Amino acid sequence: MFHLTPPTTGFLTREFIPADFHFGIDYAAKEGTPVVAASPGYVIFAGWTSGDGNMMMISHAGGFVTVYKHNKSLLKSVGDAVRRGELIAQVG
């Protein structure tokens, strides 16, 4: 089983709805709010994207990947190992 910790505090604005092609969970939070790794893994992408701003992707056991978009700052780099609940970014 794949256990996830909520990545931030704030208001849930959109749930995971695969039937609507929405494969994530969206939160609204105050700028600068901590973002934590939802599960242990390794950072496979950390950088700027034109559509999503500062984004991070973490690879987890079992082939799962979590994605953290619209960040003010990224606190981890590609190749870094992260623990569940570890600070990785700040909401942007």
Side-chain angles (χ1 to χ4, degrees):
M1 181 175 269
F2 187 61
H3 296 281
L4 297 172
T5 295
T8 194
T9 57
F11 299 96
L12 181 68
T13 60
R14 190 160 183 208
E15 296 182 11
F16 178 78
I17 309 171
D20 291 343
F21 299 100
H22 189 259
F23 299 101
I25 301 170
D26 297 345
Y27 292 88
K30 183 179 176 184
E31 184 175 337
T33 300
V35 177
V36 300
S39 192
Y42 293 89
V43 178
I44 59 172
F45 178 84
W48 175 261
T49 65
S50 61
D52 298 311
N54 285 316
M55 182 174 80
M56 184 176 297
M57 299 173 72
I58 299 176
S59 177
H60 309 280
F64 293 98
V65 174
T66 54
V67 180
Y68 308 82
K69 300 178 178 182
H70 311 294
N71 295 289
K72 175 180 179 178
S73 64
L74 302 175
L75 306 174
K76 298 294 177 181
S77 300
V78 172
D80 286 350
V82 296
R83 297 179 315 274
R84 179 185 303 144
E86 184 174 351
L87 182 64
I88 60 168
Q90 293 178 309
V91 171

